[in-house]
Amino acid sequence: MTNLNERNVYFGPDALKKYFNPDCQPPLPLVELPEHLNPYYGDGVRIYAKMMTMHPANNVKAMPAMNMLESSVVPGKTDTIIEYSSGSTVISMSMIARVMHGIHDTRAFLSNKTSEAKLRLMQFFGLKLTLFGGPSQPEPYDDRGGIQRACRMALDSDSILNPNQYENDNNWKSHIRWTGPQIYKQIPEINVLCVGMGTSGTMTGLGTYFKETKPSVLRLGVCTAPGDRVPGPRSFALMKPVEFPWKSAVDVIEEVNSPDSFSLSLDLCRGGIVCGPSSGFNLKGLFQMLGKRKIAGTLPELAGPDGSIHCVFLCCDLPYQYIGEYFQKLDSDKFHPIQNAGLAKVDLYRYDESWERSPIVLFTHFYDVPAVLSQSLLSDIKLRPQCCVLDLRTAADFALWCLPGSVNIPLHSLDSHTQKPFSDPKVLEAQWLELETMFHDSSVVTSKLTTHHLLVICYNGDTARVATSVLRAKGAAADSIRGGYQALKDHGLWGNSGVELVEEKKSVTATTTELFVSTN
């Protein structure tokens, strides 16, 4: 293992290639768990997370992908990579193929039972996807599955490469080349190595390396409990067809269920070790083995010359693509409830500060002001053509005072005593639902409202702001008065003139709610 880049900086035209190449990087971090994450700390057990997630590809499969492509790509001939993979391996391949070999066509064959989040993730990284039915983890030599389909395609074309992680020895040898030497250099005191078993490449490589380098290390392999599933690892029964020499690379097998895996992963993430469920899976397997030895009284046998038991487990990938599964696998008390959760289904449209207008907009955009004004300013102004003022207050308040030519559309969820919607989530929810229902018929909006420039007014401006958001989402040109009628009052527009407007209301209100209901 060559490592001269202590500053962890990558220069020049090959900077990205160096960034991905383990020979040009400092070792990936090895982090000891604090006592609150290590229930065996008092027994002299020290536990370290090997952060394979810190490679640029963010997962343990980057090492095998690098090694397999390096030995298999034929420059000038290989232009397509095909691999059967549920995610991490083929995503790593796609990045490494681009960066290291200039190959942009990477195709993933995978189970039709793969989660939508993982499918989207692979699409995000530019992979071409083909789904296959049958078992989610097919046997490598089953002619009916996608693994053998990828092999046949590569045999039929010199330009197609199928690295085939299930049979390619450069898969597991990558960990002899890089991962094992990194761990041993970082902690030569290591006594226990814990690795999850999927294709078994990681276990085979690391187990083989430590068998040769430090035979005293206990090599613990972790499989999924029968009938259960954790992303990545396999059950012990599914290990039988795997032809890598994994049996000679492992000393002890533990089986772990998915709830424990996700729960420990969650604890690690919240404790500062950000990692996915297979990492919690590995740690749980280590805990189980340590617990059994403690009960049997054989735990001290693992200790090294310093009296401590130094254990390393691998953190294999990140949690983000599995977020939905955490909520499926774990009890709700693992997560704080969302306050005001009802708002997640309402108030769904955008806002824009430019849609909230000051009262001056009355005289610059919506009303014509005569050259000669009477003492009562608002009794003289006339609503401009193609403009409409919507008043959301109660009918009683509208009858007492309103803007000339305005239309009253009273909301059941609004009166002069109603809390502001942005200070009371229940009010916002009720008002948005009522407004959404009121304006749900887009044909009405298109035929009537989109032909007018709308100004929406309420008591204090906030309900009108919500209405403007709904109307804008449905294609209407709508604004609201910031501060509502209270702002008009503060600007001196609501006072003595209101008495005259009560008398003039019937003659100046030319438009009615018929604008909105005539087509219903």
Side-chain angles (χ1 to χ4, degrees):
M1 179 181 66
T2 304
N3 187 0
L4 302 176
N5 188 11
E6 294 181 357
R7 292 189 297 160
N8 204 13
V9 179
Y10 307 89
F11 298 99
D14 290 336
L16 270 178
K17 290 184 178 181
K18 296 173 184 175
Y19 176 54
F20 271 77
N21 187 348
D23 289 331
C24 301
Q25 304 168 341
L28 299 177
L30 192 71
V31 184
E32 183 177 3
L33 300 189
E35 186 174 357
H36 71 273
L37 290 174
N38 176 5
Y40 298 96
Y41 189 89
D43 299 297
V45 177
R46 309 282 292 276
I47 299 177
Y48 308 84
K50 177 62 174 174
M51 302 302 294
M52 304 303 293
T53 56
M54 298 302 288
H55 184 276
N58 295 139
N59 64 74
V60 70
K61 300 296 187 178
M63 304 299 193
M66 177 78 69
N67 210 38
M68 287 188 284
L69 293 183
E70 181 183 292
S71 61
S72 303
V73 168
V74 180
K77 182 177 289 187
T78 304
D79 60 18
T80 300
I81 309 293
I82 297 180
E83 184 71 5
Y84 191 96
S85 169
S86 62
S88 294
T89 298
V90 76
I91 288 174
S92 293
M93 282 183 181
S94 70
M95 286 190 276
I96 291 166
R98 285 191 184 95
V99 170
M100 306 298 290
H101 305 285
I103 298 173
H104 294 268
D105 183 6
T106 301
R107 306 177 187 183
F109 287 1
L110 64 163
S111 169
N112 64 331
K113 298 163 185 63
T114 304
S115 69
E116 182 178 0
K118 293 187 77 173
L119 294 176
R120 293 288 179 260
L121 183 66
M122 286 185 276
Q123 287 181 302
F124 176 85
F125 280 103
L127 287 151
K128 299 176 182 178
L129 309 185
T130 300
L131 302 183
F132 287 82
S136 58
Q137 292 178 315
E139 293 189 5
Y141 300 103
D142 189 338
D143 286 337
R144 298 165 294 182
I147 296 175
Q148 289 302 310
R149 178 76 65 85
C151 291
R152 289 194 296 269
M153 289 182 65
L155 290 174
D156 292 339
S157 174
D158 291 339
S159 66
I160 296 176
L161 170 63
N162 170 223
N164 193 353
Q165 61 175 317
Y166 305 95
E167 299 181 35
N168 193 329
D169 286 343
N170 283 311
N171 176 343
W172 59 271
K173 288 181 178 178
S174 67
H175 298 293
I176 293 178
R177 181 179 179 184
W178 289 307
T179 315
Q182 282 192 14
I183 293 173
Y184 188 59
K185 181 180 180 180
Q186 290 170 309
I187 184 164
E189 303 88 355
I190 182 172
N191 307 114
V192 177
L193 173 73
C194 180
V195 180
M197 299 178 68
T199 62
S200 83
T202 309
M203 183 76 257
T204 301
L206 287 174
T208 300
Y209 174 81
F210 279 101
K211 182 179 182 179
E212 298 173 354
T213 305
K214 189 176 181 180
S216 63
V217 171
L218 178 72
R219 301 162 302 167
L220 170 63
V222 188
C223 293
T224 54
D228 205 347
R229 175 187 170 275
V230 176
R234 293 175 173 234
S235 67
F236 185 73
L238 289 177
M239 293 300 302
K240 293 179 180 179
V242 177
E243 293 196 353
F244 291 161
W246 61 270
K247 294 180 182 179
S248 63
V250 63
D251 300 309
V252 180
I253 296 287
E254 287 289 341
E255 294 179 324
V256 170
N257 63 42
S258 57
D260 286 340
S261 304
F262 280 84
S263 180
L264 263 181
S265 168
L266 187 68
D267 292 343
L268 287 168
C269 288
R270 291 176 176 177
I273 306 291
V274 180
C275 58
S278 62
S279 307
F281 170 84
N282 292 342
L283 182 58
K284 180 61 178 179
L286 177 60
F287 284 171
Q288 288 180 184
M289 184 276 293
L290 294 172
K292 290 175 182 177
R293 281 185 166 264
K294 183 174 180 179
I295 292 173
T298 60
L299 186 59
E301 296 176 5
L302 298 176
D306 63 355
S308 296
I309 304 169
H310 299 277
C311 306
V312 174
F313 75 99
L314 265 61
C315 285
C316 301
D317 62 3
L318 295 171
Y320 307 114
Q321 68 203 67
Y322 309 109
I323 292 298
E325 293 185 62
Y326 283 88
F327 287 86
Q328 295 169 5
K329 297 283 186 180
L330 303 179
D331 293 337
S332 60
D333 60 6
K334 288 281 189 178
F335 309 95
H336 293 297
I338 298 175
Q339 301 299 314
N340 304 330
L343 294 186
K345 297 180 180 180
V346 301
D347 195 28
L348 303 178
Y349 309 129
R350 67 179 290 257
Y351 291 85
D352 192 310
E353 289 186 3
S354 67
W355 301 341
E356 276 194 294
R357 313 298 290 272
S358 69
I360 197 172
V361 75
L362 294 174
F363 312 111
T364 59
H365 289 73
F366 286 88
Y367 287 92
D368 289 322
V369 181
V372 179
L373 297 174
S374 68
Q375 184 179 5
S376 176
L377 173 62
L378 292 186
S379 65
D380 298 313
I381 62 176
K382 300 294 183 182
L383 192 63
R384 292 179 180 179
Q386 302 304 310
C387 289
C388 181
V389 177
L390 308 183
D391 192 320
L392 304 180
R393 297 175 304 151
T394 64
D397 289 333
F398 181 79
L400 289 175
W401 194 91
C402 66
L403 286 169
S406 57
V407 179
N408 186 213
I409 308 180
L411 299 183
H412 297 296
S413 55
L414 176 67
D415 61 36
S416 59
H417 303 292
T418 304
Q419 289 289 321
K420 295 181 179 180
F422 298 112
S423 61
D424 187 336
K426 292 182 179 179
V427 171
L428 176 56
E429 183 176 356
Q431 291 186 353
W432 189 89
L433 288 171
E434 185 175 357
L435 289 162
E436 176 71 3
T437 300
M438 179 183 298
F439 300 123
H440 79 283
D441 190 343
S442 59
S443 64
V444 174
V445 174
T446 301
S447 62
K448 297 292 185 181
L449 300 187
T450 56
T451 61
H452 291 71
H453 187 183
L454 308 178
L455 183 66
V456 190
I457 296 181
C458 65
Y459 292 100
N460 56 52
D462 284 353
T463 301
R465 188 186 187 205
V466 177
T468 299
S469 173
V470 174
L471 286 165
R472 287 272 183 172
K474 299 183 182 306
D479 295 318
S480 65
I481 291 290
R482 184 184 292 108
Y485 269 97
Q486 183 61 46
L488 299 183
K489 183 177 182 180
D490 293 342
H491 282 76
L493 301 177
W494 179 357
N496 292 335
S497 58
V499 178
E500 297 181 22
L501 282 179
V502 170
E503 300 299 324
E504 299 173 12
K505 177 178 180 294
K506 292 184 179 180
S507 62
V508 300
T509 305
T511 310
T512 68
T513 54
E514 182 179 352
L515 176 66
F516 300 95
V517 300
S518 60
T519 58
N520 289 343

